[in-house]
């Protein structure tokens, strides 16, 4: 298997809202907020659902890689409930091998409300459920050892059992890639994330805000200098400014695609990572990897949701 994704197994519930809805519910646009079950149900009761998808950040990337013809798999924790069954079916339909045996749990399958405002920005409200309780026993050692690379998400990292699961997976893997996931996530785990990026990961994906927050950069030149000193592959997405890959003294840039009819930014970073990693595992140049990532992200933001048809 080329790539094994390990992440939060989350059922995405897509809804359209206006800006006032975010204000009324004290939500910060374009960020992800974790809530408990009662808060989640309260919000859900006020929304009209557009659709549901087997999601989670890394799962979105893994599906994108599968759609590009790569042999991929995923580990993520769900309950043996209705949503858990739908989650597995959704991945299997996309030809992703799912390496997790569902069982009855005390918490339900994780769910994420993806609230899309008219400007196409997405604001996420996540109830992790059982997804956030992944542990070492959920990590399939044999599958990791037989995979060319693991791809992790910053969302998964948390103190306690998730951290142990995360570290176990990294200790068994040949090549380790991770997305920083979210600026709030970075700020919560800054010391640990900086250690991961500097000392444990081979490839790091981040957007400009996340990487600047991680290293307390004043400007993007600070980020470039950090990337040159890092000695690992650092990939940064910059929205309309395109993307940059840095390794040692090599800095490769790629522009964004112009004149796109942006509908929904959900999955833009996830599909960018899918495109880049597709190029990486198929041994094409870093410039072409960035172009493939840009192509994938450009396609996904012109439709609702994080799945290409």
């Amino acid at each position: 298997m080329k790539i094994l994704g390990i992440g939060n197994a989350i059922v995405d519930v897509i809804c359209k809202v206006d800006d006032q809805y975010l204000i009324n519910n004290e939500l910060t646009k374009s960020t992800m907020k974790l809530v408990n079950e009662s808060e989640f149900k309260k919000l859900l009761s006020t929304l009209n659902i557009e659709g549901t998808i087997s999601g989670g950040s890394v799962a979105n990337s893994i599906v994108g890689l599968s759609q590009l013809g790569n042999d991929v798999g995923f580990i993520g924790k769900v309950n043996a409930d209705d949503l858990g069954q739908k989650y597995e079916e959704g991945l299997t339909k996309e030809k992703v091998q799912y390496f997790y045996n569902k069982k009855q749990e005390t918490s339900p399958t994780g769910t994420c409300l993806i609230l899309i405002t008219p400007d196409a920005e997405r604001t996420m409200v996540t109830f992790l459920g059982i997804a956030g309780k992944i542990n070492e026993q959920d990590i399939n050692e044999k599958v990791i050892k037989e995979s060319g690379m693991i791809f992790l998400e910053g969302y998964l990292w948390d103190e306690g059992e998730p951290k142990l699961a995360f570290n176990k997976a990294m200790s068994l893997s040949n090549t380790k890639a991770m997305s920083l996931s979210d600026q709030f996530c970075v700020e919560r785990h800054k010391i640990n994330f900086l250690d991961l990026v500097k000392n444990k990961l081979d490839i790091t994906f981040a957007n400009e805000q996340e990487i600047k927050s991680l290293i307390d950069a004043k400007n993007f030149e600070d980020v470039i200098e950090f990337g040159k000193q890092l000695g690992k592959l650092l990939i940064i997405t910059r929205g309309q400014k395109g993307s940059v890959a840095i390794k040692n003294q090599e800095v490769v840039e790629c522009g964004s695609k112009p004149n796109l009819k942006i509908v929904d930014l959900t999955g833009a970073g996830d599909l960018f990572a899918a495109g880049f990693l597709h190029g990486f595992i198929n041994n094409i140049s870093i410039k072409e990897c960035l172009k493939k990532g840009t192509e994938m992200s450009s396609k996904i933001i012109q439709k609702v949701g994080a799945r290409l048809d």
Side-chain angles (χ1 to χ4, degrees), residues 64 87 248:
Y87 191 89
N248 300 323

Side-chain angles (χ1 to χ4, degrees), residues 18-19 48 51 54 74 92 103-104 115 125 166 243 277 285:
D18 57 20
D19 288 291
N48 293 317
S54 301
F74 181 73
T92 303
K103 52 188 176 293
Q104 290 295 330
L115 309 177
V125 181
F166 208 105
S243 56
L277 290 173
S285 70

Side-chain angles (χ1 to χ4, degrees), residues 26-261:
E26 298 179 351
L27 299 171
T28 304
K29 186 185 283 191
S30 306
T31 64
M32 191 278 287
K33 180 182 180 181
L34 291 174
V35 295
N36 61 34
E37 190 170 4
S38 63
E39 289 174 298
F40 182 85
K41 286 180 176 177
K42 182 180 176 183
L43 279 173
L44 186 59
S45 69
T46 66
L47 294 163
N48 293 317
I49 297 172
E50 298 271 327
T52 60
I53 300 170
S54 301
S57 179
V58 160
N60 292 337
S61 299
I62 292 296
V63 168
L65 279 155
S66 177
Q67 291 175 337
L68 288 168
N70 299 288
D71 181 18
V72 291
F74 181 73
I75 295 174
K77 189 164 188 152
V78 297
N79 195 354
D81 52 17
D82 182 54
L83 284 176
Q85 182 63 32
K86 286 181 178 175
Y87 191 89
E88 181 172 6
E89 289 170 358
L91 288 188
T92 303
K93 185 177 73 174
E94 297 286 358
K95 299 179 181 176
V96 173
Q97 299 176 69
Y98 187 45
F99 296 102
Y100 182 74
N101 295 317
K102 302 187 304 299
K103 52 188 176 293
Q104 290 295 330
E105 306 279 1
T106 53
S107 298
T109 294
T111 318
C112 176
L113 298 178
I114 297 180
L115 309 177
I116 306 167
T117 38
D119 57 3
E121 290 287 342
R122 85 277 188 269
T123 303
M124 296 178 288
V125 181
T126 303
F127 167 56
L128 283 175
I130 200 65
K133 298 178 182 177
I134 194 166
N135 59 50
E136 290 178 286
Q137 285 67 50
D138 299 320
I139 301 300
N140 188 318
E141 294 187 20
K142 181 173 182 289
V143 172
I144 289 176
K145 289 176 181 177
E146 292 175 353
S147 302
M149 176 192 298
I150 59 170
F151 184 37
L152 301 151
E153 61 186 76
Y155 285 136
L156 185 72
W157 202 101
D158 216 338
E159 291 292 349
E161 291 192 331
K163 179 182 175 181
L164 295 174
F166 208 105
N167 286 336
K168 179 181 178 180
M170 286 195 296
S171 72
L172 296 167
S173 177
N174 300 307
T175 303
K176 298 164 278 290
M178 178 177 130
S179 163
L180 296 188
S181 296
D182 184 273
Q183 187 176 345
F184 284 4
C185 203
V186 170
E187 288 169 0
R188 274 195 12 250
H189 304 303
K190 187 174 288 191
I191 294 171
N192 291 292
F193 276 18
L194 195 55
D195 176 56
L196 288 171
V197 171
K198 284 183 173 180
N199 303 313
K200 297 176 181 176
L201 298 170
D202 301 294
I203 304 171
T204 301
F205 289 89
N207 66 30
E208 184 171 350
Q209 292 74 32
E210 291 158 2
I211 192 68
K212 285 171 79 173
S213 173
L214 181 71
I215 65 171
D216 296 319
K218 293 181 177 64
N219 51 52
F220 198 67
E221 285 68 34
D222 291 347
V223 174
I224 297 290
E225 192 55 38
F226 172 80
K228 287 180 176 179
Q229 299 298 320
L230 186 62
K232 317 282 185 69
L233 184 53
L234 177 63
I235 301 107
I236 305 146
T237 54
R238 307 186 70 197
Q240 292 183 339
K241 296 177 183 176
S243 56
V244 180
I246 311 165
K247 187 171 184 183
N248 300 323
Q249 296 304 302
E250 184 182 16
V251 180
V252 183
E253 298 186 51
C254 179
S256 61
K257 287 187 179 288
N259 306 318
L260 300 177
K261 293 182 179 178

Side-chain angles (χ1 to χ4, degrees), residues 263-282:
V263 175
D264 170 21
L265 292 169
T266 304
D270 305 336
L271 272 292
F272 179 91
F276 186 96
L277 290 173
H278 166 76
F280 187 84
I281 61 177
N282 289 289

